[in-house]
Amino acid sequence: MTKQKTIVYTIFCVAVIAVINACQSADEIEMARYFSNGKDIYKAKCQNCHGEKGEGLGELAPPLTDTVFLKEHKEKLACYIKNGANEPMTIHGKVYDEKMPGFNELHDIDIAQVIVYITNNFGNKQGMYSHEQVNKDLQNCK
């Protein structure tokens, strides 16, 4: 092969490899869509109290940066979002006992998207959370 053909062949191979690596699976695309939509809902409904970076609001609203709390209470997150919360929560060793309002106008898909955003942002990496799981968790709210 000539030097020019070798260069063209190499560029072509690199381009093909880049395209293959850029392709996402259906699960990755769905996760990205949930995350993006969840971010929009979070900005509209949650950010005022929990902060742009999940830092919370002083004594009033807890931060969303405690991965341990979010993992241990993941099955309650849908209930908190839909119905509000009226129980003390200990996050980063600090007790928060202010009432959180519910957002009962949100559909299961909206809640799932917010949960995906919260549990995969602010230092958290917990993966996908489907609207079917939200529906199941909402049936167990106390």
Side-chain angles (χ1 to χ4, degrees):
M1 267 205 266
T2 66
K3 187 175 183 178
Q4 186 178 16
K5 284 184 179 180
T6 303
I7 291 172
V8 170
Y9 178 74
T10 302
I11 291 172
F12 175 76
C13 288
V14 169
V16 168
I17 291 170
V19 168
I20 290 171
N21 284 335
C23 293
Q24 294 178 317
S25 71
D27 290 342
E28 291 170 324
I29 292 169
E30 182 178 35
M31 171 85 171
R33 191 178 73 243
Y34 268 56
F35 187 90
S36 178
N37 292 343
K39 181 178 182 179
D40 293 339
I41 297 167
Y42 178 86
K43 282 182 176 183
K45 305 277 185 189
C46 314
Q47 184 171 300
N48 245 9
C49 294
H50 292 287
E52 182 180 354
K53 297 176 184 159
E55 69 275 15
L57 184 62
E59 303 289 320
L60 300 175
L64 301 172
T65 56
D66 188 332
T67 301
V68 173
F69 180 89
L70 292 177
K71 279 183 183 176
E72 290 177 355
H73 296 86
K74 195 164 189 175
E75 73 285 346
K76 292 182 180 180
L77 296 179
C79 298
Y80 293 156
I81 294 168
K82 183 81 168 184
N83 305 320
N86 196 20
E87 60 187 49
M89 298 178 195
T90 303
I91 300 172
H92 293 303
K94 186 175 180 181
V95 177
Y96 294 85
D97 58 3
E98 292 293 321
K99 181 169 174 41
M100 177 182 150
F103 298 94
N104 59 11
E105 74 277 7
L106 293 178
H107 298 283
D108 292 357
I109 186 76
D110 301 323
I111 294 170
Q113 291 170 344
V114 170
I115 291 173
V116 166
Y117 178 70
I118 290 169
T119 60
N120 290 283
N121 200 15
F122 315 128
N124 303 299
K125 297 287 180 225
Q126 295 185 29
M128 189 60 181
Y129 191 83
S130 70
H131 66 279
E132 293 92 357
Q133 186 64 46
V134 167
N135 183 273
K136 180 181 170 192
D137 288 348
L138 286 174
Q139 293 175 17
N140 296 319
C141 293
K142 295 176 183 174

